[in-house]
Every structure is written in structure tokens, then in C-alpha cells.
């Protein structure tokens, strides 16, 4: 709403033949395409939801938002029924919202795979095995000593691969969507 007021102020100034500053002009020009951008983004999200291309965290966010909308809609529907108003449109919206929620419950979350993920999981397993050898109270065989000597190289390679995996938005991705070892793996 605040942005709409600012844009209305810009338009009023322009209609009075007053010039906008460079920042104001850039903002005004970028906002003009905002409704189309929002529409395109909503279509992409619907496509992602329809195709099941959502991560676990994205599914949780969408589900909580839809459930919030459902509560609002239920309240509006109850109020409309008490006031003996037409509720057909609200009931249609409620049915559509319930269908979206059901569809969302059926979606299996995706996990983004990268080429180096398999090697990372393998290196993590090797490090866990080496840690078990190191913490063992038994005598270490020559073969195990050779494995332990390779630990710095394994650690270095793992650090390199994990650094390559980190993208611009790595910190924005919730931990549950990060690469995990197989269930039951420790480390």
C-alpha cells in the first residue's frame, strides 16, 4: 500500500510537469511491470506445485500459508452465513483452496542433486570409518595406518567439494534441504 501511494505521488508530480529524481524514475519504471511479474511468478509457482518441484521447506511454507488463508476464508464464510449473504463464491474459493492443500500433501519433496553429491557422501563415510579406526582402542594394522595417512587428503577434497556446492543462496536454503547422508549414517 505504501508503494502504491509513492507511485501515485510520482504520477501526480509528473502530471504537474515536475521531474522525478533518477532514483524515483528508476523505481517508477520498475514498478510499472510489477503486476505482470507477480502474475508470471504465481504461474511459475503453480507449475512447480503441479509438477511436484518443491523442496521440503517450500512445501511447509506453502502449506502454512494456505492453512492461514483457509482459516480466514472459513471465518469469512461463517460470517457471511450468519448475515444470510450469498456464499457461493466463498464456497468455490474454499473448495479450490482445499484442493490445493490436498495436492500439496501428496507432493514428494525434491532434493536438488549436484554432480559432486555422490563423492561428498562417499568421502563423509570414509571419514566416519577413519574416525572409528582412530577411536578404536585396539592395535592398528598397517593397512589401517595407510588409510589414516590419507585422512588429510580426504578432508581437503571434502572441503573443496563442499565449497564448490555452496552457491549464492546456500545460507538461504533451510538445513533440511541440504545434502544429507543416508538415514542411519552418523556424522
Amino acid at each position: 500500500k505504501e508503494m502504491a501511494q509513492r507511485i501515485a505521488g510520482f504520477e501526480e508530480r509528473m502530471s504537474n510537469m515536475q521531474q522525478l529524481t533518477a532514483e524515483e524514475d528508476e523505481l517508477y519504471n520498475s514498478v510499472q511491470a510489477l503486476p505482470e511479474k507477480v502474475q508470471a511468478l504465481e504461474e511459475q509457482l503453480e507449475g512447480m506445485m503441479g509438477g511436484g518441484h518443491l523442496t521440503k521447506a517450500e512445501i511447509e511454507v506453502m502449506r502454512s500459508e494456505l492453512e492461514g488463508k483457509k482459516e480466514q476464508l472459513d471465518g469469512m464464510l461463517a460470517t457471511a452465513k450468519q448475515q444470510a449473504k450469498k456464499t457461493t463464491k466463498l464456497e468455490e474459493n474454499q473448495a479450490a483452496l482445499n484442493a490445493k492443500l490436498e495436492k500439496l500433501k501428496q507432493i514428494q519433496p525434491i532434493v536438488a542433486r549436484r554432480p559432486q553429491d555422490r563423492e561428498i557422501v562417499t568421502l563423509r563415510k570414509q571419514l566416519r570409518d577413519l574416525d572409528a579406526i582412530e577411536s578404536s582402542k585396539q592395535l592398528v594394522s598397517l593397512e589401517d595406518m595407510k588409510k589414516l595417512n590419507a585422512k588429510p587428503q580426504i578432508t581437503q577434497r571434502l572441503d573443496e567439494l563442499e565449497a564448490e556446492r555452496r552457491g549464492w543462496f546456500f545460507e538461504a536454503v533451510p538445513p533440511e534441504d541440504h545434502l544429507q547422508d543416508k538415514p542411519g549414517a552418523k556424522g
Side-chain angles (χ1 to χ4, degrees):
K1 292 180 181 181
E2 180 183 323
M3 184 60 72
Q5 291 173 347
R6 288 183 69 188
I7 298 303
F10 293 162
E11 289 174 346
E12 185 178 330
R13 285 177 46 199
M14 288 189 304
S15 66
N16 294 334
M17 303 304 253
Q18 295 174 352
Q19 191 170 359
L20 298 177
T21 66
E23 289 177 2
E24 291 171 338
D25 190 47
E26 183 178 340
L27 179 64
Y28 180 78
N29 291 332
S30 65
V31 172
Q32 293 304 311
L34 196 59
E36 294 86 17
K37 290 178 183 179
V38 169
Q39 179 65 29
L41 186 59
E42 286 175 355
E43 289 172 3
Q44 285 181 342
L45 287 173
E46 287 293 324
M48 288 174 69
M49 191 172 126
H53 302 292
L54 298 171
T55 65
K56 185 176 179 179
E58 290 169 335
I59 290 172
E60 291 299 317
V61 167
M62 285 188 74
R63 189 169 47 80
S64 67
E65 287 177 0
L66 289 176
E67 286 173 352
K69 288 180 182 179
K70 184 178 187 288
E71 288 176 13
Q72 286 179 330
L73 194 57
D74 289 344
M76 291 169 59
L77 193 60
T79 304
K81 284 182 179 180
Q82 285 176 350
Q83 297 174 355
K85 292 184 178 179
K86 286 187 177 181
T87 59
T88 53
K89 187 70 174 170
L90 290 174
E91 289 170 349
E92 289 173 6
N93 289 343
Q94 186 180 36
L97 193 59
N98 287 334
K100 280 185 181 181
L101 275 168
E102 278 303 312
K103 193 174 193 179
L104 202 56
K105 288 178 184 176
Q106 296 172 0
I107 292 176
Q108 287 294 95
I110 63 165
V111 178
R113 300 279 182 221
R114 296 187 183 189
Q116 62 267 40
D117 285 354
R118 182 172 292 191
E119 186 178 357
I120 289 173
V121 170
T122 302
L123 291 173
R124 286 179 182 170
K125 182 184 180 317
Q126 289 176 355
L127 284 176
R128 281 193 306 276
D129 293 344
L130 292 175
D131 288 341
I133 292 170
E134 279 182 336
S135 63
S136 172
K137 300 203 189 285
Q138 299 176 357
L139 283 173
V140 179
S141 68
L142 184 60
E143 185 178 314
D144 289 341
M145 285 299 286
K146 288 179 182 177
K147 290 179 185 177
L148 286 172
N149 285 337
K151 186 175 180 178
Q153 290 85 9
I154 293 172
T155 304
Q156 180 182 1
R157 178 66 181 148
L158 182 61
D159 291 343
E160 290 171 0
L161 289 173
E162 287 180 341
E164 287 175 16
R165 281 185 69 246
R166 282 182 171 65
W168 289 348
F169 303 108
F170 184 78
E171 283 74 26
V173 176
E176 61 266 16
D177 289 335
H178 289 187
L179 174 67
Q180 303 291 321
D181 291 340
K182 290 184 174 125
K186 296 177 184 172

